[in-house]
Amino acid sequence: MTKITIIGAGGFVFPFRLIGDLVSFPALQDATLHLMDLDAGRVARTARAARELVAHHGLGVEVLETTDRRAALADADVVIITFQVGGVESYKWDVEIPRKYGIDQAVGDTVGPGGVFRFLRSVRAYEDIARDALELCPDAQFINYANPMAMATAFLNAKGLRTVGLCHSVQGTTRMLARTLDVPYDEVEFVSAGINHQAWILEFRRRGGEDLYPRLREVMTAKHQRGVAAGDLHADDGDHSEAALAASNYEGGNEQVRTQLMRSFGYFETESSHHASEYVPYFRKDPETVLEYIPERWDYYEICLAHDEQGDVDQQLEKLKADLSPSVEYGASIVNAIVTGVPAVVHGNVPNATGVISNLPADACVEVACLVDGTGVHPTSFGELPPQLAAINRTNTNVQTLAVRAALTGNVEHVHHAVALDPLTAAHLTLDRIAEMTDELLHAHAALLPESLRPETASAPAASAQDAGLEARPALV
C-alpha cells in the first residue's frame, strides 16, 4: 500500500484540493494519506474533509492525521511539502518593509527581498525534515509546492532529498493563450523551459503543425496596450489550481507586461503580468508606470488576509463530492505514474547540475518538461535557451543561488548579496539603502532564521523548527 505524506496539511485550501486530486486516480484509492501539521486543529479540519470525501465516494483510502513529523515521514513513499513558515504574520514583513523603501511587490513570495526572506525563514524547517527523512524514508520522492519554488527545491535537493518542485504557471498560461486564440486546449502543443515563474513558451502550435505564434503576437499586441485597461474581468481569489474559464484581473485580462516582454525579447512568459513585473526592472518604476502596465492591482498579501479558510474547504468539499476530477496541478499525476509505472509528462523544477538547460548555471534550479515513471522524475535535456532569455533568467538565478548558498554556508553576507542583485531592488535603491533594508528584514524575521544568519542583537531561537511551530502556518501556494 502506498503511503503519501503531506507536510503542512493544515494549510489553506490547497492541501485539501491536492487530496482530491490524489484520490481521483483509481491506483491511489487504497493509499494511506498521512496528514501532518503542527497545528492540531488545522490538520484535523483537513482530515475531516478528506474522510468525508473518501466516504462519500466509497474509496479505500486511509486518512491519518498527526502533529508528529517523524511519524508522518516513517516509511513514506511520497512526501509532499506545502507550507509557509510564519504565515501571513511574517508575510506582512516581506511586503511592507520593502515597500517602505520603495520596492512594491504585488506578490513578493518567490523573488526579490520577499522571496529571499520567505526562503530563509523556512530553512530550519527544511533542515529538520531532511534530517528525519534521510533516516526514515530515504528513498521517498519529494514533491515541493512551497514557495519560493526555486530556492526551496534547490535547498532540499542539496540536503539529499530527491525533490521536484511544482507550480501551475505553465498550465495556467498555456490554457490562457489557447483560450485567447479560441483554440481548444487539447489541440495545442507547446514547448516551455526556463526557471519557475519565468519560463518561456518557446513553441506554441496547433496539433498537426500550425504555428500559433504569429497570431499570438498579433492578438496579444492588439488586445493589451500600454495605458488601456480591460473591463468586466472576473475577480480572482488566488486559487489557481483549476482551469480558468475566462480572463480575470489576475491572468488574461491585462497582460501588458507579458506582451511587452514578448515584443522585446521574442517569447511569452509563464507567470502573470502582476508577478512577472517583479522579476525585471522595467515596469515598477513608479506608481504611474505601474498603472500604465498593470491597470488593476492584484495584491496577493491582501488576498491572503481575506481568505475564509473553513468556508473555502467546505466549498471545495462539495465540489469534489459532485465531481471527483483532478485539477491542473501535476502532483497527483506524478504519484500515479510512480505507483503504476504508466508514464506522464509534467513541467517540474529540478537542479541544473547536469546541464539540463546548458546556458544557465549548474547550481540553478530550472523548470523543464520531465518524464515520470515507476522510477521517479526524469528531467528532459533541453539544451540552450535563446540567449536573451537565458540572460534574463540569470538575473534571477543569481539571487536564488546566493540565497541558497547563504542557507547552506551560514554566511549572512550572501543574504545581502542576493537582495542587492535583485533586478527590481537594484533599479530603485543604492547599495547602502539595500543594505539598510536587508538588515531591517533580518531583524524582523530573526526568530525564524537559522542561528548563523540571525543578527547578533536578536534573542536566541527555539530549539528546532518542530518546537517553534514553524509548519503550523497556512500554506499559500
Side-chain angles (χ1 to χ4, degrees):
M1 182 179 293
T2 303
K3 178 178 177 179
I4 305 165
T5 292
I6 301 179
I7 303 225
F12 174 62
V13 70
F14 181 79
F16 178 64
R17 184 61 184 94
L18 185 59
I19 290 168
D21 286 357
L22 291 165
V23 303
S24 73
F25 283 88
L28 306 180
Q29 290 175 353
D30 63 351
T32 295
L33 297 180
H34 210 146
L35 311 182
M36 184 269 163
D37 199 289
L38 292 186
D39 188 315
R42 287 183 179 275
V43 75
R45 178 186 62 205
T46 305
R48 282 194 301 271
R51 291 188 184 106
E52 187 172 340
L53 179 65
V54 165
H56 177 82
H57 290 287
L59 308 179
V61 175
E62 181 182 21
V63 179
L64 304 176
E65 62 190 276
T66 185
T67 58
D68 185 337
R69 184 182 59 243
R70 289 179 61 84
L73 288 172
D75 301 317
D77 298 293
V78 177
V79 179
I80 301 172
I81 293 176
T82 170
F83 59 77
Q84 177 197 180
V85 169
V88 292
E89 297 89 346
S90 292
Y91 187 17
K92 174 182 178 180
W93 303 124
D94 293 341
V95 294
E96 290 194 353
I97 291 175
R99 197 168 290 162
K100 188 172 74 171
Y101 288 81
I103 310 302
D104 180 28
Q105 304 165 108
V107 182
D109 70 348
T110 55
V111 72
V116 168
F117 277 88
R118 180 182 287 233
F119 165 64
L120 293 175
R121 69 173 183 265
S122 305
V123 165
R124 291 166 60 207
Y126 295 146
E127 288 178 331
D128 288 347
I129 290 167
R131 182 188 63 246
D132 290 344
L134 291 173
E135 174 191 349
L136 300 169
C137 55
D139 298 322
Q141 174 67 58
F142 274 71
I143 297 173
N144 176 50
Y145 271 109
N147 280 324
M149 179 59 60
M151 297 180 224
T153 302
F155 185 81
L156 290 164
N157 277 286
K159 285 295 181 177
L161 302 183
R162 193 164 50 108
T163 308
V164 61
L166 297 181
C167 182
H168 38 239
S169 59
V170 172
Q171 304 95 296
T173 293
T174 52
R175 282 173 166 80
M176 182 273 288
L177 295 179
R179 190 174 63 246
T180 299
L181 298 181
D182 198 24
V183 177
Y185 189 66
D186 60 5
E187 295 181 15
V188 167
E189 295 178 330
F190 64 89
V191 173
S192 176
I195 63 174
N196 181 242
H197 290 179
Q198 200 183 59
W200 309 96
I201 305 301
L202 299 161
E203 295 182 14
F204 199 67
R205 298 180 176 275
R206 189 188 290 267
R207 199 176 301 278
E210 179 192 358
D211 183 0
L212 294 172
Y213 242 118
R215 188 151 65 92
L216 176 65
R217 291 188 176 98
E218 178 184 354
V219 170
M220 296 301 281
T221 298
K223 184 177 180 180
H224 302 290
Q225 297 183 19
R226 179 176 177 177
V228 180
D232 299 323
L233 299 176
H234 287 256
D236 180 82
D237 64 359
D239 179 7
H240 305 139
S241 294
E242 307 293 346
L245 300 177
S248 72
N249 61 343
Y250 171 73
E251 184 174 66
N254 289 301
E255 291 289 359
Q256 287 85 339
V257 168
R258 288 200 282 183
T259 299
Q260 181 63 61
L261 287 171
M262 177 176 63
R263 291 173 61 193
S264 297
F265 297 104
Y267 297 90
F268 204 80
E269 203 229 81
T270 58
E271 184 48 60
S272 74
S273 282
H274 303 275
H275 206 4
S277 69
E278 297 177 71
Y279 280 69
V280 291
Y282 312 117
F283 305 107
R284 308 190 74 85
K285 296 288 189 182
D286 51 60
E288 294 75 24
T289 303
V290 171
L291 279 175
E292 288 183 358
Y293 284 101
I294 307 171
E296 182 179 351
R297 184 176 180 86
W298 184 91
D299 190 303
Y300 191 42
Y301 172 66
E302 297 295 334
I303 288 170
C304 292
L305 287 176
H307 280 317
D308 173 12
E309 296 185 24
Q310 183 63 59
D312 289 336
V313 170
D314 292 342
Q315 183 181 45
Q316 193 65 253
L317 175 60
E318 293 308 309
K319 287 172 62 177
L320 288 169
K321 282 182 176 180
D323 180 16
L324 188 60
S325 298
S327 70
V328 303
E329 301 290 348
Y330 287 132
S333 296
I334 289 177
V335 181
N336 183 68
I338 290 172
V339 170
T340 64
V342 177
V345 175
V346 305
H347 285 81
N349 293 271
V350 295
N352 198 40
T354 59
V356 173
I357 297 181
S358 56
N359 54 347
L360 289 183
D363 56 351
C365 183
V366 297
E367 187 171 270
V368 295
C370 301
L371 176 68
V372 190
D373 59 21
T375 62
V377 179
H378 311 285
T380 59
S381 180
F382 179 80
E384 284 196 1
L385 284 170
Q388 73 276 19
L389 305 185
I392 297 171
N393 284 161
R394 284 194 293 269
T395 65
N396 282 279
T397 61
N398 291 337
V399 178
Q400 295 160 357
T401 55
L402 281 163
V404 172
R405 188 170 295 242
L408 291 172
T409 64
N411 185 347
V412 73
E413 288 303 308
H414 286 324
V415 178
H416 284 270
H417 301 154
V419 177
L421 287 168
D422 171 58
L424 180 60
T425 300
H428 285 271
L429 300 179
T430 65
L431 287 169
D432 286 342
R433 287 289 280 168
I434 294 171
E436 183 182 340
M437 178 181 70
T438 304
D439 282 337
E440 187 169 345
L441 284 161
L442 285 165
H443 279 87
H445 291 297
L448 299 180
L449 295 176
E451 188 169 3
S452 59
L453 300 180
R454 302 175 77 250
E456 291 182 2
T457 56
S459 58
S464 70
Q466 178 85 9
D467 296 335
L470 301 186
E471 292 153 18
R473 305 300 185 179
L476 302 173
V477 180

